[in-house]
Amino acid sequence: MKIGIVGLPNVGKSTLFNAITNAGALSANFPFATIEPNIGVVAVPDERLDALRDMYNPVKYTPATIEFLDIAGLVKGASKGEGLGNKFLSNIREVDAIVHVVRCFENDNIIHVDGSIDPLRDIETIDLELIISDVDLLVRRIDKTAKAMKGDKSYATEYEMLKRLKTHMEGGKSARSFECQSQTEQEILDAIPLLTSKPIIYAANMSEEDFAAGIDENENYMKVKELADAEGAEVLPICAELESQLNEMDEDERMMFLSELGLTSSGLDRLIKKCYKLLGLISFLTAGQPEVRAWTIKKGTKAPQAAGKIHSDFERGFIRAEVIPFDELMECGSMANAKEKGLVRSEGKDYVMRDGDIVLFRFNV
């Protein structure tokens, strides 16, 4: 899973990126030239996997990971080449979802590019640049489809749909809000790498004082939350500076500090949960002495396709899946006890995987 972190300059985007990518045990940063995104690979915290590690004492421990891309700050006119322009936009087309960092804090020492704090204006600035870039892409796609339609009338549906989408977006609306009229249209839309069709989380970057006072007291955060609710997007109140401080603390000190702020988990943990929810993802687990590991799949994935995440041979030669929910295994204390009690189920090709399933796949090729 790739997540792009975007925002105007001086909103705390890079501070947040550095904080969250330094928090994961497997985090690793690969700095490129300034025109390239910084990349951080972060382990997904999972207490279930930790419990399996204690149970099996495995040789290898492999959590799921998320790749975060810190994309260079976007400025007004980027779609026409201002700032890093199209370089920025090409990087963001590769991600699965966008975390849009929005400045909701006041600080006279950190100059805002537009001279004042206005999160809705900032969101509109970036949205407009993404929409303009998407419309340019659509114009090229429409021309290509029109040429193809001369020799093959089956392109007519795509052509008409793309023209409607272009009109919709020229009205300042994102591709996310476009209503497809059929499954075929939805599949066409899904196949186009439009920036404004990607799921989005608004990270409302607030001051530590705002967190202490209560996030609902921050008018800027409430404006972002209202917008996100209207769009069906996610919003995450976060303090990038606070996340940086948490990285310097040991576990006990960190939990005490969070508790004083009325929080139970770090910004990274909360952000990852938002990402999984937004993208409709769950994790299944495999466990044994050689390795305990978490695997990320889409909700609704059936057992053979989940097996294919491990290896294509597992899916091709799928026989059955031996499954037990995590909680039931913990209650039994061991896999041997679970099998004695008949709690390990044998599931076939139509089984839909559930979050926290511990699975052993049987296959033959």
Side-chain angles (χ1 to χ4, degrees):
M1 175 164 48
K2 287 187 178 181
I3 305 295
I5 302 179
V6 305
L8 291 169
N10 295 340
V11 297
K13 178 175 59 66
S14 293
T15 301
L16 178 61
F17 170 81
N18 290 332
I20 62 178
T21 55
N22 286 333
L26 296 185
S27 67
N29 296 324
F30 306 96
F32 295 89
T34 53
I35 60 170
E36 297 288 348
N38 289 318
I39 300 172
V41 181
V42 177
V44 175
D46 193 330
E47 292 179 355
R48 301 170 303 190
L49 205 63
D50 295 342
L52 291 174
R53 177 177 56 190
D54 294 341
M55 177 179 287
Y56 284 94
N57 192 26
V59 174
K60 195 174 179 182
Y61 171 85
T62 312
T65 59
I66 293 182
E67 187 174 304
F68 285 100
L69 283 78
D70 175 26
I71 313 257
L74 184 60
V75 295
K76 192 175 294 184
S79 57
K80 301 302 180 185
E82 294 295 324
L84 298 176
N86 293 328
K87 185 70 180 179
F88 164 91
L89 297 169
S90 64
N91 286 328
I92 198 177
R93 287 196 192 279
E94 301 170 3
V95 303
D96 300 305
I98 295 170
V99 173
H100 183 168
V101 182
V102 186
R103 180 169 169 175
C104 294
F105 65 89
E106 301 279 353
N107 188 328
D108 293 338
N109 295 321
I110 303 175
I111 299 171
H112 191 286
V113 290
D114 289 326
S116 62
I117 307 304
D118 186 342
L120 298 187
R121 178 201 58 210
D122 294 353
I123 289 170
E124 185 178 8
T125 295
I126 286 191
D127 280 353
L128 185 58
E129 295 305 322
L130 301 186
I131 288 169
I132 292 170
S133 180
D134 278 351
V135 170
D136 287 345
L137 185 150
L138 282 175
V139 168
R140 296 193 297 273
R141 181 73 176 242
I142 289 169
D143 289 343
K144 182 179 178 182
T145 305
K147 291 174 183 176
M149 191 169 61
K150 292 178 181 177
D152 186 347
K153 296 302 180 184
S154 66
Y155 283 94
T157 297
E158 179 175 342
Y159 179 73
E160 293 301 325
M161 176 262 192
L162 291 175
K163 286 202 302 181
R164 286 193 354 259
L165 177 58
K166 176 173 172 286
T167 300
H168 171 85
M169 297 188 69
E170 285 175 337
K173 300 175 183 177
S174 70
R176 281 187 299 275
S177 62
F178 179 74
E179 292 188 12
C180 294
Q181 296 179 354
S182 66
Q183 182 61 33
T184 299
E185 287 193 354
Q186 186 64 57
E187 290 170 0
I188 293 169
L189 180 60
D190 291 344
I192 306 172
L194 295 175
L195 300 168
T196 61
S197 66
K198 296 182 183 297
I200 191 163
I201 298 172
Y202 294 110
N205 190 18
M206 302 159 65
S207 68
E208 190 175 332
E209 292 75 16
D210 289 328
F211 264 90
I215 58 174
D216 292 346
E217 299 297 319
N218 184 300
E219 291 183 9
N220 289 318
Y221 164 70
M222 295 307 292
K223 289 177 183 176
V224 177
K225 185 178 186 303
E226 185 176 341
L227 175 68
D229 290 344
E231 290 184 352
E234 293 286 331
V235 62
L236 175 72
I238 199 163
C239 174
E241 286 294 339
L242 177 61
E243 295 302 316
S244 296
Q245 293 176 41
L246 289 172
N247 286 342
E248 306 297 324
M249 302 177 186
D250 61 35
E251 184 63 24
D252 291 341
E253 189 180 10
R254 185 184 299 121
M255 294 311 297
M256 185 183 303
F257 192 54
L258 287 170
S259 178
E260 289 174 357
L261 292 169
L263 301 171
T264 57
S265 57
S266 71
L268 173 62
D269 291 356
R270 290 181 287 120
L271 177 57
I272 288 174
K273 287 178 181 177
K274 292 277 187 183
C275 290
Y276 269 65
K277 178 182 177 183
L278 191 68
L279 295 172
L281 302 174
I282 60 173
S283 294
F284 73 89
L285 314 170
T286 52
Q289 208 282 320
E291 182 181 31
V292 296
R293 182 163 181 166
W295 305 85
T296 303
I297 55 174
K298 282 271 190 184
K299 284 181 182 177
T301 298
K302 292 186 177 181
Q305 288 68 50
K309 288 283 290 185
I310 300 175
H311 196 286
S312 57
D313 284 350
F314 284 32
E315 181 176 358
R316 187 160 53 93
F318 179 87
I319 299 173
R320 68 180 184 275
E322 297 177 3
V323 183
I324 182 170
F326 169 80
D327 290 341
E328 291 187 12
L329 177 61
M330 290 299 106
E331 288 174 8
C332 292
S334 71
M335 188 63 76
N337 288 342
K339 287 180 177 178
E340 283 183 12
K341 295 181 178 180
L343 296 176
V344 179
R345 308 188 311 272
S346 181
E347 301 286 358
K349 293 182 177 181
D350 292 329
Y351 177 69
V352 177
M353 301 292 292
R354 298 173 184 171
D355 188 47
D357 275 348
I358 299 170
V359 192
L360 173 64
F361 292 109
R362 300 293 185 183
F363 71 102
N364 184 35
V365 291

